[in-house]
């Protein structure tokens, strides 16, 4: 891969925990994201998958600096977002936007659709007059499949799918090249999900957008992504081209995650890998490999040495001492 | 009831505003010949120990009481809301400092504060305004802070940050409109309290200074001649009670309208 649009290096975020008492020191804090590295190419879709609470959404917010990172570098075309000053940051926000999961909470209930969509443009000083704003907003509404007549309505007059279109119009208004899509369809009806996914793909083709598509829905990820990164307890455990991740996962967690996904074909019976226990609390991450407490392959070394992401196949990296094709040894993908 | 309260309050406000035109006598004019009179056609609420017309004093007293009762809470709401917004939104040291000052002031009795200020500066309208503003501002700061804290994480605030908006615009445009409801409810209730406190401070001689009338010092003056003429005390007491009752009714109604939780 040539120089990526976005390169994340060693990104980490520890949320400070509350002090336990007046004289006691604060607890160890929550390691939401730990030493995460990721490359995203221009005009591509990288999916970030994992269970809820694994740090996917935090990662998306860290990259956009909606949350301040504790460690690491986020290079957007070589420019470090994590170290950018306010003015530089504002300029960078023109290049990178976000689409939120919640189409209801992500818009101020008192502001009109036109005001909502024009807000990033206005913040960036990209619109001069009210007439120009109307024109731009009308164009954006058409691009996302809504009528320009709707611009003076309030968000509550729209359905979830329509609101998500408004959210998309807001995100593309400033002409970004990178968009974090934080579970953009998981709050929507299944019938609407496909429309929104198609809209995202059309816009990507037209505008050469790069997406970081955060999702726990593997079926949609399979449809939209080119590369997939699997997260567990704040770390990327496996990352690679979609085909490799879905067909030849090398990390036992990826294999277990895939085996748990429902299959469209009911005749395809296969063994599900049931992981024992719960995800450990991010306040006390296990030593060594975070996954060892639930991993069927765990050995003594897994508690001692933390596995690093290493190449296991063409373009595919896994963080496991025992990474291998079909690590748990079951037939995947149905029969 | 709400409508009746609104009518009563509107009437009181109008009377206060047009006190000169409404009052039958000069509230300061004394008359040795007509002290401690019972209510009559000439003096509807009688006269006090100095022969001043009680009705005229109540009408002019409404002006002081309402002016202070409204301006102190409004000032406190503006200052408190600003501090609460800043503390809740930015967190960190700003929040801790504002929070500690708030706690300190909330623990300090208003009357004691009134006595200290009256002793250090002087009694009078401006001192009372200062005392009541300082006493009330922390209450608004708390409410504003709690509401801001809840909104700080709201996705639409994140969206505004992602858009590149400055913190000032975000606070003014996205947070303030959403916390103004609870602040207004508390404001209506604190206006009632401010009127009571004005009366208390004036009664204790820490507020409006004689010979000027306020509801509090009408009661204070009346106390000296309570057995000669109870009319000043009764009239001023009723004026305070009716106003406070009307304000509380309105406050409850505003809360019911703004807060869907209590709507029945």
């Amino acid at each position: 891969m040539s120089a990526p649009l976005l390169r994340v290096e060693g990104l980490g975020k520890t949320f400070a925990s509350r002090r336990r008492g007046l004289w006691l020191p604060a607890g160890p804090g929550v390691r939401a994201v730990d030493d995460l590295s990721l490359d995203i190419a221009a005009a591509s879709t990288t999916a970030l998958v994992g269970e809820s609470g694994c740090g996917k959404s935090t990662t998306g917010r860290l990259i956009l600096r909606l949350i301040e990172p504790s460690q690491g570098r986020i290079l957007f075309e070589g420019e470090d977002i994590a170290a950018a000053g306010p003015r530089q940051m504002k300029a960078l926000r023109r290049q990178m936007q976000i689409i939120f999961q919640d189409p209801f909470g992500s818009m101020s209930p008192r502001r009109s659709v036109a005001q909502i969509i024009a807000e990033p443009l206005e913040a960036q000083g990209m619109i001069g007059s009210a007439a120009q704003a109307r024109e731009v907003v009308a164009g954006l509404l058409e691009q996302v499949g809504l009528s320009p007549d709707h611009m003076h309505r309030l968000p509550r007059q729209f359905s979830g799918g329509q609101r998500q279109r408004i959210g998309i119009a807001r995100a593309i208004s400033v002409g970004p090249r990178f968009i974090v899509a934080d579970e953009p369809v998981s709050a929507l009806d299944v019938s609407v999900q496909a429309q929104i996914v198609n809209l995202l793909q059309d816009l990507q083709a037209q505008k050469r957008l790069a997406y970081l598509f955060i999702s726990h829905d593997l079926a949609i990820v399979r449809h939209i992504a080119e590369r997939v990164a699997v997260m567990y307890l704040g770390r990327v455990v496996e990352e690679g081209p979609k085909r490799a991740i879905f067909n030849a996962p090398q990390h036992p967690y990826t294999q277990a995650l895939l085996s748990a996904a429902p299959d469209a074909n009911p005749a395809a019976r296969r063994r599900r890998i049931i992981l024992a226990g719960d995800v450990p609390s991010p306040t006390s991450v296990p030593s060594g490999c975070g996954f060892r407490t639930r991993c069927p392959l765990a050995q003594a070394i897994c508690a001692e040495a933390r596995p690093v992401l290493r190449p296991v196949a063409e373009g595919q990296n896994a963080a496991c001492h025992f990474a291998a094709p079909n690590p748990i040894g079951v037939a995947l993908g149905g029969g | 009831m709400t409508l009746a309260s609104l009518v009563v309050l509107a009437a009181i406000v109008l009377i206060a505003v047009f006190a000169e035109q409404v009052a039958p006598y000069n509230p300061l004019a004394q008359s040795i010949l007509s002290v401690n009179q019972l209510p009559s056609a000439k003096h509807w609420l009688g006269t006090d120990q100095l022969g001043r017309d009680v009705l005229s004093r109540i009408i002019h007293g409404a002006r002081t009481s309402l002016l202070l009762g409204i301006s102190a809470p409004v000032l406190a709401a503006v200052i408190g809301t600003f501090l609460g917004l800043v503390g809740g939104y930015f967190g960190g040291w700003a929040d801790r400092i504002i929070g500690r000052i708030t706690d300190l002031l909330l623990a300090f009795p208003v009357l004691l504060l009134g006595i200290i200020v009256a002793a250090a500066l002087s009694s009078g309208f401006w001192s009372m305004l200062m005392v009541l503003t300082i006493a009330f501002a922390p209450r608004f700061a708390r409410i504003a802070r709690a509401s801001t804290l809840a909104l700080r994480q709201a996705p639409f605030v994140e969206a505004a940050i992602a858009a590149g908006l400055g913190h000032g615009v975000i606070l003014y445009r996205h947070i303030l409109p959403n916390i103004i409801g609870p602040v207004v409810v508390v404001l209506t209730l604190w206006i009632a309290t401010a009127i009571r406190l004005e009366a208390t401070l004036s009664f204790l001689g820490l507020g409006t200074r004689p010979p000027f009338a306020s509801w509090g010092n009408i009661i204070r003056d009346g106390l000296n001649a309570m057995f000669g003429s109870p009319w000043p005390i009764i009239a001023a007491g009723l004026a305070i009670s009716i106003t406070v009752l009307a304000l509380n009714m309105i406050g409850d109604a505003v809360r019911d309208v703004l807060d869907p939780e209590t709507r029945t």
Side-chain angles (χ1 to χ4, degrees):
Chain A
M1 191 160 53
S2 58
L5 179 71
L6 185 89
R7 160 163 278 172
V8 177
E9 289 176 359
L11 187 66
K13 176 67 186 181
T14 305
F15 289 104
S17 61
R18 284 184 75 88
R19 290 208 294 176
R20 287 171 288 188
L22 195 55
W23 310 113
L24 294 169
V30 177
R31 302 230 80 182
V33 176
D34 189 8
D35 194 18
L36 183 140
S37 299
L38 200 65
D39 280 358
I40 294 169
S44 73
T45 302
T46 303
L48 197 57
V49 301
E51 295 167 75
S52 47
C54 70
K56 317 186 285 285
S57 289
T58 307
T59 304
R61 282 166 168 72
L62 286 170
I63 291 173
L64 297 183
R65 244 178 99 179
L66 297 176
I67 305 172
E68 290 296 317
S70 311
Q71 295 114 34
R73 298 204 302 163
I74 307 156
L75 303 170
F76 187 87
E77 294 198 309
E79 200 176 351
D80 190 358
I81 296 170
R87 186 169 299 181
Q88 203 185 354
M89 200 59 229
K90 189 170 169 182
L92 278 163
R93 295 209 180 282
R94 213 183 265 207
Q95 303 289 336
M96 25 187 253
Q97 283 290 316
I98 180 167
I99 299 167
F100 291 92
Q101 172 179 14
D102 176 7
F104 295 91
S106 60
M107 291 162 201
S108 208
R110 293 153 206 272
R111 294 175 64 74
S112 74
V113 168
Q115 285 176 316
I116 289 166
I117 294 176
E119 186 151 72
L121 289 163
E122 181 202 336
Q124 297 289 345
M126 290 165 79
I127 37 174
S129 65
Q132 192 200 348
R134 266 197 301 282
E135 201 174 303
V136 173
V137 169
L140 285 163
L141 282 170
E142 274 176 355
Q143 283 185 52
V144 298
L146 291 172
S147 162
D149 305 338
H150 292 165
M151 71 168 76
H152 298 299
R153 296 197 188 164
L154 292 172
R156 66 163 167 270
Q157 294 169 281
F158 293 88
S159 69
Q162 287 173 316
R163 280 177 181 229
Q164 205 55 305
R165 289 174 190 270
I166 296 167
I168 292 168
R170 170 171 66 185
I172 62 170
S173 65
V174 287
R177 286 190 294 157
F178 170 64
I179 290 181
V180 172
D182 184 9
E183 308 234 16
V185 297
S186 62
L188 305 177
D189 288 345
V190 177
S191 57
V192 182
Q193 288 188 347
Q195 297 171 15
I196 298 295
V197 167
N198 288 339
L199 174 63
L200 288 171
Q201 286 186 310
D202 291 348
L203 290 168
Q204 177 168 48
Q206 285 166 28
K207 297 172 185 292
R208 289 187 48 76
L209 291 167
Y211 291 132
L212 178 65
F213 194 90
I214 299 168
S215 179
H216 59 250
D217 187 331
L218 294 172
I220 289 174
V221 167
R222 195 170 216 158
H223 178 71
I224 198 171
E226 283 143 52
R227 292 184 73 81
V228 176
V230 181
M231 277 186 84
Y232 185 82
L233 265 187
R235 295 175 189 163
V236 171
V237 293
E238 186 163 15
E239 179 267 328
K242 169 177 68 178
R243 197 171 297 274
I245 297 292
F246 278 98
N247 297 335
Q250 302 222 3
H251 193 287
Y253 177 67
T254 312
Q255 200 178 17
L257 190 71
L258 291 170
S259 83
D263 204 299
N265 176 9
R269 289 216 172 162
R270 52 180 184 176
R271 213 185 109 203
R272 293 200 193 285
I273 301 163
I274 311 291
L275 292 175
D278 291 323
V279 183
S281 160
T283 51
S284 55
V285 177
S287 66
C289 174
F291 185 55
R292 69 177 165 83
T293 54
R294 302 170 74 198
C295 181
L297 307 178
Q299 304 285 330
I301 184 178
C302 301
E304 287 154 20
R306 180 174 152 196
V308 293
L309 269 181
R310 59 186 171 90
V312 289
E314 181 65 38
Q316 185 178 0
N317 299 289
C320 176
H321 297 299
F322 304 104
N326 193 3
I328 304 182
V330 292
L332 268 185
Chain B
M1 278 318 275
T2 311
L3 192 67
S5 304
L6 275 172
V7 170
V8 167
L9 197 69
I12 295 170
V13 170
L14 282 176
I15 287 170
V17 171
F18 296 106
E20 263 103 27
Q21 286 75 28
V22 178
Y25 297 93
N26 179 343
L28 305 181
Q30 304 180 4
S31 167
I32 305 286
L33 297 175
S34 53
V35 293
N36 292 341
Q37 284 189 359
L38 290 180
S40 64
K42 215 172 147 204
H43 300 283
W44 288 3
L45 291 174
T47 59
D48 66 7
Q49 73 225 18
L50 298 174
R52 298 176 295 198
D53 180 50
V54 173
L55 181 62
S56 299
R57 285 185 69 73
I58 294 285
I59 288 169
H60 278 265
R63 197 175 253 196
T64 321
S65 294
L66 284 185
L67 191 61
L68 191 82
I70 291 167
S71 56
V74 167
L75 201 60
V78 171
I79 295 170
T81 303
F82 176 76
L83 292 176
L85 274 174
V86 169
Y89 184 80
F90 292 104
W93 281 108
D95 189 31
R96 271 184 235 171
I97 292 167
I98 292 168
R100 287 301 92 77
I101 295 173
T102 303
D103 291 346
L104 196 75
L105 286 174
L106 283 177
F108 207 84
V110 181
L111 283 181
L112 196 56
L113 191 67
I115 293 167
I116 291 170
V117 170
L121 304 169
S122 71
S123 60
F125 181 83
W126 295 107
S127 299
M128 270 198 294
L129 184 66
M130 194 170 104
V131 168
L132 294 184
T133 304
I134 290 171
F136 291 171
R139 296 161 208 274
F140 289 100
R142 276 215 167 160
I143 292 155
R145 178 184 179 271
S147 312
T148 306
L149 220 50
L151 285 169
R152 177 77 180 86
Q153 307 292 335
F156 66 83
V157 173
E158 272 193 324
I161 298 172
L165 280 186
H167 294 306
V169 181
I170 292 175
L171 280 172
Y172 177 73
R173 183 187 286 174
H174 291 290
I175 294 185
L176 186 62
N178 290 301
I179 70 163
I180 208 79
V183 169
V184 168
V185 172
V186 174
L187 181 62
T188 55
L189 297 175
W190 281 101
I191 288 174
T193 307
I195 289 171
R196 274 196 302 112
L197 276 170
E198 186 279 334
T200 310
L201 287 169
S202 296
F203 176 75
L204 293 173
L206 304 168
T208 311
R209 283 197 279 185
F212 298 102
S214 83
W215 292 343
N217 74 5
I218 291 171
I219 295 180
R220 177 185 165 85
D221 285 353
L223 200 63
N224 299 333
M226 196 166 72
F227 299 105
S229 164
W231 296 107
I233 294 182
I234 293 171
L238 274 176
I240 293 167
S241 304
I242 291 168
T243 312
V244 169
L245 188 65
L247 278 165
N248 281 334
M249 296 271 208
I250 292 166
D252 284 350
V254 172
R255 189 193 58 212
D256 290 349
V257 169
L258 290 177
D259 183 4
E261 301 273 313
T262 57
R263 203 178 292 173
T264 46

